């Protein structure tokens, strides 16, 4: 039988299910349910799935807030592009801007202190990926994502963009300092 010719038995869907087939369907269904309930379980007990809030906003409004924090708490500038390094007070709102093709500014946080980190793209979709912790968050234009973070150990972490965003996607990297 080929796909061009009509099937030999035209009412093929009324044939009884093979035992093996029904076993596989039941197994697949059970696994689907396991995976489904893993989502809320992992959200509560796992350490990687972050709870976040999201608010609709505009690039102008978001950049204004980011600029305010940069004006207040910049401690130095780094890289060829003179990106400000911001050391905000513990517990404050910190803004990270994703855009073609940079993360702005660079954040310097204190271990053991909590911050409300805001993330937004001012052009199109980027992916925030913190390495080597492997924390990944999609960064959408028009939405301010807020994540409450408490860095647990000092170090210099890498931020990369893990959502293809154009010709210089591979250069969209930055750092996160934890002191
Ligand atoms: Cu931004 Cu890839």
């Amino acid at each position: 039988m080929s796909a061009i010719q009509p099937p030999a038995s035209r009412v093929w869907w009324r044939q009884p299910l093979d035992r093996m087939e029904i076993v596989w369907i039941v197994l697949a269904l059970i696994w689907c349910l396991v995976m489904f309930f893993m989502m809320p379980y992992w959200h509560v007990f796992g350490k990687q799935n972050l709870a976040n809030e999201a608010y609709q906003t505009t690039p102008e409004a978001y950049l204004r807030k980011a600029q305010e924090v940069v004006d207040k708490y910049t401690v130095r500038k780094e890289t060829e592009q003179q990106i400000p390094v911001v050391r905000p007070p513990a517990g404050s709102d910190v803004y990270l801007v994703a855009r073609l093709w940079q993360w702005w500014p660079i954040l310097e946080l204190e271990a053991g202190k909590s911050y409300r980190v805001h993330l937004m793209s001012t052009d199109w979709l980027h992916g925030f990926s913190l390495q080597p912790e492997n924390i990944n968050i999609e960064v959408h234009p028009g939405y301010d994502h807020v994540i409450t973070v408490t860095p647990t150990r000092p170090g210099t972490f890498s931020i990369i963009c893990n959502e293809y965003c154009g010709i210089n996607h591979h250069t969209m990297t930055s750092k996160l300092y934890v002191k």
Side-chain angles (χ1 to χ4, degrees):
M1 187 181 86
S2 78
I4 302 168
Q5 257 111 47
S9 160
R10 300 196 72 121
V11 283
W12 53 268
W13 62 86
R14 285 219 201 114
Q15 284 170 20
L17 275 183
D18 188 74
R19 225 184 113 250
M20 218 35 157
E21 215 169 349
I22 194 80
V23 166
W24 275 114
I25 289 171
V26 170
L27 281 179
L29 180 68
I30 291 169
W31 190 241
C32 281
L33 292 172
V34 169
M35 298 292 271
F36 180 80
F37 287 107
M38 273 304 281
M39 289 192 285
Y41 171 81
W42 205 241
H43 183 78
V44 176
F45 298 103
K47 290 252 160 77
Q48 283 188 326
N49 289 16
L50 304 167
N52 69 65
E53 306 153 43
Y55 304 94
Q56 230 170 345
T57 184
T58 60
E60 296 73 33
Y62 187 83
L63 280 169
R64 207 163 37 237
K65 288 186 194 164
Q67 189 67 54
E68 258 173 49
V69 174
V70 166
D71 290 344
K72 265 197 212 159
Y73 304 116
T74 295
V75 287
R76 61 178 185 277
K77 296 203 167 166
E78 274 188 17
T79 76
E80 270 174 29
Q81 301 145 298
Q82 293 290 297
I83 296 187
V85 179
V86 170
R87 194 193 297 156
S92 66
D93 285 81
V94 194
Y95 294 83
L96 190 57
V97 178
R99 59 190 172 202
L100 301 171
W101 284 279
Q102 70 178 192
W103 300 96
W104 185 92
I106 295 171
L107 304 178
E108 191 170 278
L109 308 178
E110 217 180 309
K113 300 281 165 63
S114 296
Y115 301 85
R116 278 169 61 80
V117 176
H118 295 246
L119 275 167
M120 192 178 110
S121 161
T122 51
D123 34 56
W124 60 66
L125 189 65
H126 298 283
F128 173 91
S129 183
L130 187 72
Q131 300 298 335
E133 304 305 281
N134 203 20
I135 292 171
N136 298 287
I137 300 156
E138 288 220 326
V139 188
H140 296 260
Y143 286 92
D144 175 355
H145 289 258
V146 195
I147 310 123
T148 303
V149 292
T150 311
T152 50
R153 62 181 175 96
T156 301
F157 300 87
S158 304
I159 297 171
I160 58 166
C161 179
N162 66 357
E163 201 67 66
Y164 183 71
C165 56
I167 193 87
N168 275 335
H169 159 72
H170 63 285
T171 65
M172 194 169 162
T173 60
S174 185
K175 279 179 207 168
L176 172 78
Y177 295 110
V178 179
K179 299 270 155 148

